[in-house]
Amino acid sequence: SSFSSFSTNNGQTVWITHDGKSYVTGYNSDGRISGSLPKKTLTEDTEFILKDEGGQPCKFVSVVCGYFYTLYLVSSESGVTNFKLVFCYEDKTPNPLFVNIGKRTPRALFGGESTSGVIDTEGGIIVLTKSVFESPRKQVEATFLPGGDKPVKLACCNSFVIALGMSGRVYESEISSRKLNKFEIVKELSETTVVDVSGTSDFCFAVLNDGRVFGRGDNWKCKLGLPKETKSVSTFTIIESLNKHKIVSVFTGSSHS
């Protein structure tokens, strides 16, 4: 009951308490938790104390762990104002990186294997990959959904991002260099109402309001739930093995769902 956020992935675990403190444990030899913590496996719970660029202490709000990184949402110590994104990626510098997002205010974090995404208070979508470190001071721009639709959830795959809009529509954008391309509606789902999406690595899912599930991408070891003879599918395809159930939500790992 004292946690406000918790995330775990490839060897690292991070949790945040209601009073804005962050504690970490696990593999940090490459700086995936933070470059300011000891570069080793942290075998005991360790408090992560962070100061902003001006030397002022930060309060932690939420966290998402990816396979290669940890992304934090922090605020000024005086209160929940001046939200900032802090990005720690394996073997990249600077670490921690306070991401330049201009005057945008992050609201929610989403993570995949190597890609993470942020929804801000105005409905802007910000994507973060290791390419951010090529020009770490350059502002990362936000991308918006067509028609004024507001995003409620992101599926962050390695080369594309799927966004679920408040309308129940699903959109896709390919990742180009350090930014998203224009979001476009996913045609095969355009006549449906979607209630949940999830994705990471090279595969993703969409759950419809009638309980059906559609999947797309790699089916290695049947992680999509398709027959093993099917290696991959390039469009969202109904997962017939789940048809006898009414699915309400979906979650993906790098090699499981």
Side-chain angles (χ1 to χ4, degrees), residues 11-15 22-28 33 37-38 40-48:
Q12 79 272 35
T13 299
V14 181
W15 63 99
S22 176
Y23 296 89
V24 307
T25 187
Y27 187 80
N28 190 49
I33 300 176
L37 290 169
K40 64 178 185 179
T41 298
L42 304 169
T43 57
E44 297 182 355
D45 301 347
T46 304
E47 184 176 0
F48 175 24

Side-chain angles (χ1 to χ4, degrees), residues 91-109:
D91 299 325
K92 296 294 181 181
T93 56
N95 183 346
L97 171 65
F98 284 82
V99 183
N100 180 5
I101 56 172
K103 295 182 179 180
R104 310 208 69 82
T105 302
R107 181 177 61 82
L109 309 181

Side-chain angles (χ1 to χ4, degrees), residues 19-230:
D19 57 0
K21 294 182 178 180
S22 176
Y23 296 89
V24 307
T25 187
Y27 187 80
N28 190 49
S29 297
D30 54 11
R32 70 181 59 180
I33 300 176
S34 172
S36 63
L37 290 169
K39 293 288 190 68
K40 64 178 185 179
T41 298
L42 304 169
T43 57
E44 297 182 355
D45 301 347
T46 304
E47 184 176 0
F48 175 24
I49 297 173
L50 179 68
K51 294 183 178 180
D52 64 20
E53 303 101 315
Q56 298 301 309
C58 296
K59 291 184 73 172
F60 290 86
V61 180
S62 61
V63 61
V64 62
C65 295
Y67 202 82
F68 305 106
Y69 66 86
T70 307
L71 177 64
Y72 303 88
L73 176 60
V74 303
S75 70
S76 60
E77 190 182 39
S78 57
V80 260
T81 58
N82 196 19
F83 287 104
K84 298 177 183 292
L85 295 174
V86 178
F87 199 25
C88 301
Y89 205 102
E90 68 168 21
D91 299 325
K92 296 294 181 181
T93 56
N95 183 346
L97 171 65
F98 284 82
V99 183
N100 180 5
I101 56 172
K103 295 182 179 180
R104 310 208 69 82
T105 302
R107 181 177 61 82
L109 309 181
F110 301 89
E113 185 177 72
S114 60
T115 304
S116 57
V118 181
I119 296 175
D120 69 25
T121 53
E122 297 178 346
I125 297 171
I126 299 166
V127 65
L128 299 175
T129 69
K130 64 181 179 181
S131 65
V132 171
F133 295 90
E134 296 171 5
S135 304
R137 295 185 179 180
K138 185 176 180 180
Q139 182 172 329
V140 181
E141 302 296 337
T143 306
F144 294 83
L145 299 182
D149 203 357
K150 299 297 184 183
V152 294
K153 192 175 182 184
L154 305 177
C156 301
C157 298
N158 291 350
S159 59
F160 62 91
V161 172
I162 298 290
L164 172 61
M166 195 174 292
S167 64
R169 296 185 178 93
V170 174
Y171 307 85
E172 178 182 9
S173 173
E174 292 185 355
I175 299 172
S176 173
S177 182
R178 50 182 285 135
K179 66 178 183 178
L180 288 173
N181 294 330
K182 181 180 178 182
F183 273 98
E184 296 182 354
I185 196 162
V186 176
K187 292 180 180 180
E188 61 265 33
L189 298 175
S190 61
E191 302 299 321
T192 66
T193 300
V194 176
V195 296
D196 195 25
V197 295
S198 186
T200 189
S201 184
D202 50 11
F203 74 117
C204 56
F205 292 96
V207 180
L208 273 55
N209 61 342
D210 60 9
R212 290 182 295 160
V213 181
F214 286 72
R216 194 185 82 182
D218 189 73
N219 190 45
W220 182 73
K221 292 193 174 180
C222 303
K223 62 184 179 181
L224 272 180
L226 293 171
K228 62 182 179 180
E229 296 79 19
T230 303

